[in-house]
Amino acid sequence: MSQSDEGELLWQPSATRIENSGLTAYRAWLNREAGVSFDDYDALWRWSIENPALFWESIWRCYDIAPGQEYTAVLGSNGMPGARWFPGAQLNFAEYLLRQGDRGDTARVAVFAESESVACSTLSWEELRLHVVRLASYLRDAGIGPGDRVVAYLPMSCEAVVAMLACISVGAVWSCCSPDFGAKSVIERFEQIQPKLIIAIAHYRYNQKDFKRSREMSDILAAIPSLGELIYLPWGDRKSPLPPVMPASCRLTTWQDALEANAASYDSFAFETLPFEHPLWIMYSSGTTGAPKGIVHSQGGALLEYVKYAWLHDDMGPEQVKFFVTTTGWTMFNILVGGMMAGAAIVLYDGHPASPDESRLWDMADRYKVTYFGASPSYVNALVQAGYSPRIHHDLASIKTIALTGSPSSRDTFRWFYQHVHDDLHTISMSGGTDISSAFIAGAVELPVYAGEIQCACLGVDVAVFDDSGDELRSGEDGELVIRQPMPSMPIFFWNDDDGSRYRASYFEEYPGIWRHGDLVRRSSRGGFVISGRSDATLNRFGVRIGTAEIYRAVESIEGIEDSLIVNIELPDAQFFMPLFVVMENGVELDEPLVRKIAATLSSECSPRHVPDKVYAIAEVPYTLTGKKLEVPVKKLFLGMPADKTMNAGAMANPRAMEFFVDFARSLQGGLPS
């Protein structure tokens, strides 16, 4: 790997930052209680994967997960899939989280919330506890108990946090979609889990436009007969209409009536005590090419992972304020709430991140003294296109950490924060996702930051990079991101996958007994990682694997190009066709000089193999609802698969964007373009 591939040093932590970190406190605990000490992060990580039972038990003990609880082993069975963690232990995810309010004054704010639809709101830890136990008491009185499914159709809001924790408090299984999901997408997800109760809105506002969801709510209620009750949350102008059609079998209750139905107090409420492996929530695969898979996580697995991640990777604590741009339909909402496992406050935002203008999120960061600011690279790209520099307009001294996820982050994205926020930032990128509701590779505050590079493998995560034959690759070589040992937060099962075949096919088919995540990655000589893209969207160019992310980084750095998408079609007669599709900035035309510039840039910054066969201008790149480019469905279209088999419009943010590619696929039937 050349020096230019290694990235430039952007930041090093101060001695004070390291001394006051959660990692340093944890190391001190290990030295004091377990008699082990480590000189650096790499030594600690190696111990954590060589001694997984000792490591995860140290998290249990250090952070007082379930006082007084007994377990027969830390890892009762260590095969993948099928590992069993802490058999015999009983706990409750919500009870532990709410207990973190004791790390200081319970009157301090736990949740800040802003929205385009409603006025700003807050909940103190004391108020959060009260709202949770009162809604939980209502759910229990309504017959909701352990194992029952409760679903939600809610925006980012204090109410969404309350609803999630109330559901978990009584042992029910939580599942949520955000209101930007169409009825078909919601039904595809919720009908398979047969929920008993739904909590929902019927109206919201986004980018200063109103969206009514009454019809969608009626369709959802009609399509899922297991739903016996709707808890309706007025939203928008707080006078939004009720769903026009309620099935006779479905009872209607308002949010406020549910909260006021029971005068339970936090001290008197009995949280449901549950086995470690009891289902916590159900998340879903993207569903872009088939029915979404219901991914089930456990109470104890998510709890342990979030505690570890909050204290040791996000460097959270009671004085921290965590924010991430997300929706309730994305796992980042759950991960954001996970920051509260260290007693931190969180900030929620419901709306367009640049409404009414680019200052929106930075105003919030100032107002709430955000210490941890999380966003996607696409958000940064939008600010670059707008020429917006936050440091000109805001005092952002409170921000200590920048977090990036949603797609691979370029070196320029990293650099942007040091140029336009301030220069003392722990900037981290991460890779993981819905499958574990966390990250495999991420950040550690005691390590330096290099442009475009993910700092490290997470503690307790046995990360490796494999080639197609299952051999471990050296630094500098692209390969599959794999996990060689179980983690507590791996899914316990997929819903309606009784024999486990879909679960095994998703992660363990390529390398039996080893988790293949589907990311194409390379390790740097320092032990960090660079994501090259999804391995299922990898460009196999004459036998050489190329990650799409490195092409996007180069192409989207060219002036005049706003966005891009690339696929490579491998045909039976050994022909290859690699078209590049670009979205032009307003007023810019894709002409021959620009095409030559694209080719020259890719050839010099990447390699001649990265140069596309043809370049086409398009109106927009198709994206999933969670902001991922739809490379694989486009490729399948080009290989002749019917459109209705390659994509699900309800799972897309901009389904009309696929119309161009459907037409383009038809044109390919007459032969490859010359």
Side-chain angles (χ1 to χ4, degrees), residues 224-248:
I224 307 177
S226 62
L227 285 170
E229 183 167 357
L230 163 66
I231 297 178
Y232 174 70
L233 173 64
W235 199 245
D237 59 5
R238 295 287 185 183
K239 297 176 183 177
S240 46
L242 295 177
V245 178
M246 288 287 294

Side-chain angles (χ1 to χ4, degrees), residues 4 45 169 215 398 495:
S4 62
W45 174 75
S169 297
R215 179 176 297 176
S398 66
W495 201 263

Side-chain angles (χ1 to χ4, degrees), residues 10-145:
L10 296 176
W11 178 82
Q12 293 205 77
S14 66
T16 301
R17 184 86 187 258
I18 294 172
E19 183 181 355
N20 294 329
S21 70
L23 270 170
T24 295
Y26 171 63
R27 267 208 194 87
W29 184 93
L30 282 174
N31 192 19
R32 184 175 65 252
E33 301 293 332
V36 292
S37 61
F38 305 97
D39 294 332
D40 55 28
Y41 181 87
D42 185 63
L44 177 60
W45 174 75
R46 291 192 179 282
W47 174 80
S48 76
I49 64 167
E50 290 167 1
N51 305 276
L54 289 177
F55 170 71
W56 288 106
E57 186 173 39
S58 77
I59 299 297
W60 182 284
R61 292 176 54 211
C62 180
Y63 299 105
D64 204 18
I65 298 299
Q69 279 294 312
E70 300 288 338
Y71 43 86
T72 58
V74 174
L75 188 52
S77 171
N78 64 358
M80 284 197 298
R84 288 201 64 210
W85 293 91
F86 293 92
Q90 303 272 316
L91 44 70
N92 187 287
F93 177 102
E95 182 179 22
Y96 182 90
L97 185 149
L98 292 171
R99 206 168 78 216
Q100 304 319 300
D102 293 332
R103 295 181 182 274
D105 184 357
T106 58
R108 64 191 170 92
V109 174
V111 185
F112 299 93
E114 287 203 11
S115 169
E116 285 192 53
S117 302
V118 298
C120 303
S121 60
T122 62
L123 284 176
S124 68
W125 280 95
E126 187 175 10
E127 290 168 331
L128 175 64
R129 288 170 165 180
L130 182 61
H131 288 204
V132 167
V133 300
R134 288 194 170 174
L135 182 60
S137 298
Y138 177 84
L139 294 176
R140 187 173 273 161
D141 292 344
I144 302 297

Side-chain angles (χ1 to χ4, degrees), residues 296-559:
V296 186
H297 294 131
S298 70
Q299 286 264 348
L303 171 51
L304 268 186
E305 176 62 28
Y306 282 1
V307 167
K308 177 205 78 173
Y309 201 86
W311 286 106
L312 305 181
H313 291 287
D314 277 349
D315 202 31
M316 289 289 103
E319 305 306 317
Q320 306 303 311
V321 180
K322 183 177 182 180
F323 168 70
F324 210 103
V325 185
T326 184
T327 72
T328 57
W330 188 20
T331 190
M332 287 309 303
F333 168 63
N334 305 63
I335 295 171
L336 176 59
V337 172
M340 302 176 78
M341 289 295 185
I346 60 172
V347 178
L348 311 174
Y349 176 62
D350 162 46
H352 190 283
S355 177
D357 56 45
E358 286 78 14
S359 68
R360 180 68 193 237
L361 302 186
W362 305 101
D363 284 340
M364 289 167 47
D366 265 352
R367 190 157 45 252
Y368 304 130
K369 302 303 178 190
V370 166
T371 60
Y372 178 110
F373 187 98
S376 67
S378 60
Y379 171 69
V380 178
N381 291 341
L383 296 181
V384 171
Q385 297 290 339
Y388 183 79
S389 179
R391 74 187 305 167
I392 294 174
H393 309 282
H394 304 276
D395 174 16
L396 301 171
S398 66
I399 299 179
K400 305 299 182 187
T401 302
I402 295 292
L404 293 161
T405 193
S407 60
S409 299
S410 70
R411 297 174 193 171
D412 285 343
T413 301
F414 273 62
R415 293 185 191 109
W416 184 89
F417 286 100
Y418 295 93
Q419 295 163 358
H420 297 283
V421 179
H422 61 77
D423 58 10
D424 187 16
L425 292 169
H426 179 212
T427 300
I428 59 177
S429 183
M430 63 195 84
S431 179
T434 303
D435 314 83
I436 60 164
S437 194
S438 187
F440 298 118
I441 54 179
V445 73
E446 63 185 42
L447 299 176
V449 173
Y450 290 87
E453 188 174 307
I454 299 174
Q455 288 179 295
C456 59
C458 293
L459 295 173
V461 187
D462 190 0
V463 173
V465 182
F466 276 12
D467 66 13
D468 291 344
S469 300
D471 296 321
E472 187 168 4
L473 292 171
R474 301 168 300 177
S475 63
E477 297 180 283
D478 278 340
E480 293 279 358
L481 176 67
V482 301
I483 312 301
R484 294 178 293 196
Q485 296 188 74
M487 296 169 57
S489 63
M490 286 175 173
I492 45 176
F493 56 86
F494 285 175
W495 201 263
N496 293 332
D497 180 32
D498 294 340
D499 63 0
S501 58
R502 296 175 73 199
Y503 188 0
R504 290 192 298 274
S506 294
Y507 308 117
F508 300 102
E509 200 166 61
E510 190 76 16
Y511 310 109
I514 292 175
W515 175 295
R516 182 188 77 95
H517 190 57
D519 278 343
L520 189 67
V521 65
R522 66 176 176 269
R523 192 190 291 266
S524 77
S525 60
R526 291 180 293 270
F529 298 85
V530 176
I531 298 292
S532 300
R534 289 293 294 174
S535 59
D536 52 5
T538 300
L539 310 173
N540 192 331
R541 192 71 160 158
F542 305 106
V544 178
R545 301 177 94 195
I546 298 172
T548 56
E550 53 190 327
I551 289 181
Y552 298 144
R553 283 193 285 267
V555 169
E556 292 165 24
S557 70
I558 298 172
E559 186 175 354

Side-chain angles (χ1 to χ4, degrees), residues 589-664:
E589 182 182 349
L590 179 65
D591 54 17
E592 193 56 36
L594 185 52
V595 170
R596 288 197 298 269
K597 184 172 184 179
I598 291 170
T601 300
L602 287 169
S603 183
S604 63
E605 293 190 11
C606 302
S607 82
R609 289 191 179 91
H610 291 68
V611 177
D613 294 310
K614 295 278 286 186
V615 184
Y616 302 89
I618 59 173
E620 55 182 332
V621 170
Y623 281 91
T624 68
L625 287 167
T626 55
K628 292 182 172 61
K629 298 185 184 189
L630 287 166
E631 300 153 319
V632 175
V634 168
K635 181 175 180 177
K636 289 180 177 179
L637 272 176
F638 292 176
L639 289 172
M641 188 176 289
D644 61 348
K645 301 295 184 183
T646 64
M647 58 186 177
N648 176 355
M652 294 177 60
N654 53 345
R656 290 188 62 180
M658 286 297 285
E659 293 175 5
F660 170 89
F661 296 99
V662 171
D663 292 338
F664 190 90

